Amino acid sequence: MRIGLRRWSLIGTSLALQNLLLAAHAAGLGASGMTGPLVAADAIREILRVPASWHVVALVPIGFADEESAATARKPADVVTQWIE
């Protein structure tokens, strides 16, 4: 199966975004990956002076959180993981 360059770029960006969010958390910062604001991508590109050759796929506000949020409930790993032998 052939995967196009754009798809590979999105995969790489997603991996980098995950690491950025983990690094921010480790540094005691609040951060959130957002794609919703991209409905105004043209305005964002202009405000941030993003070069025309770049593709904006997410925004990540980073800063000091006003409050500590509670951890969300998670399902046990054995419920959401399936090992295929």
Side-chain angles (χ1 to χ4, degrees):
M1 172 170 54
R2 185 168 186 270
I3 299 177
L5 179 60
R6 177 140 170 93
R7 186 164 177 194
W8 282 118
S9 298
L10 287 174
I11 291 169
T13 301
S14 298
L15 295 169
L17 177 62
Q18 178 68 34
N19 285 319
L20 176 65
L21 294 172
L22 289 171
H25 178 75
L29 298 169
S32 179
M34 302 185 323
T35 57
L38 295 179
V39 298
D42 292 338
I44 291 169
R45 293 178 72 78
E46 185 177 328
I47 291 166
L48 299 178
R49 298 185 181 133
V50 176
S53 61
W54 291 16
H55 297 280
V56 179
V57 296
L59 299 175
V60 184
I62 298 176
F64 294 99
D66 282 342
E67 59 188 42
E68 185 73 26
S69 41
T72 57
R74 298 183 185 264
K75 295 177 184 176
D78 62 331
V79 172
V80 296
T81 306
Q82 178 181 2
W83 296 99
I84 301 171
E85 297 181 28

